[in-house]
Amino acid sequence: MNINLIRKSGKFNFEAVNESGFTVELDAKVAIGGEGKGFRPMEMLLVGLGGCSGIDMVNVLTKQKEPLEDIKIAINATRKDEEMPPIFDEIEIHFDLSGDLNPAKVERALAMTFDKYCSVSNILGRSAKINFTYNINKV
């Protein structure tokens, strides 16, 4: 895995490029001199958590032959602002699922995602409490 960062403009504005050529912009918060031109690094960790757990959820539900029509993920996190560095304290991740899904299979998929498959949640879970919830919208 290879990621390269190139400073674009201002003090803290970077463009990250992966091996496939995909890009994302990063910047610091305005309070320390950023210009709001991209994701902040800690936000990128939450994007990684959402992507990793979302991919794993879709994969597990597909293997269970569950008719998942759509998935949306909302993440809210708090940080230990009194500490340096201010790492995440608690992360709430909510899955909004659509389809005629079996709740027991959804709960099993969530357990497998967070206990076994999602490497990002495994890393973040070593320093922060991760709570997950879900709701099913029957189609």
Side-chain angles (χ1 to χ4, degrees):
M1 191 177 299
N2 188 353
I3 303 289
N4 292 294
L5 283 90
I6 303 154
R7 189 172 178 189
K8 287 192 67 170
S9 67
K11 241 175 149 177
F12 303 114
N13 180 221
F14 290 89
E15 179 180 71
V17 182
N18 72 3
E19 292 173 281
S20 300
F22 292 105
T23 64
V24 64
E25 283 198 49
L26 295 104
D27 204 346
K29 61 184 175 182
V30 174
I32 67 163
E35 298 175 352
K37 291 184 177 179
F39 281 91
R40 295 196 320 258
M42 292 297 281
E43 291 172 333
M44 289 299 297
L45 288 175
L46 298 178
V47 169
L49 174 63
C52 182
S53 62
I55 289 168
D56 290 337
M57 282 293 292
V58 170
N59 194 31
V60 172
L61 290 170
T62 299
K63 286 180 179 178
Q64 293 177 341
K65 299 189 182 344
E66 283 296 288
L68 178 65
E69 299 280 330
D70 198 10
I71 181 171
K72 294 178 183 161
I73 303 165
I75 303 173
N76 291 296
T78 57
R79 292 172 69 178
K80 298 177 183 179
D81 289 327
E82 68 284 352
E83 292 183 12
M84 198 51 72
I87 61 174
F88 289 121
D89 179 35
E90 196 161 349
I91 301 169
E92 303 283 338
I93 182 166
H94 178 77
F95 294 86
D96 189 25
L97 307 166
S98 296
D100 190 20
L101 303 169
N102 178 332
K105 288 188 175 184
V106 168
E107 289 176 18
R108 185 170 191 280
L110 284 164
M112 291 176 72
T113 292
F114 287 97
D115 294 341
K116 185 176 182 180
Y117 293 123
C118 181
S119 53
V120 178
S121 72
N122 186 288
I123 291 167
L124 290 175
R126 294 175 189 198
S127 60
K129 181 176 181 181
I130 300 176
N131 303 305
F132 54 86
T133 57
Y134 74 94
N135 70 295
I136 299 171
N137 303 299
K138 298 284 184 177
V139 177

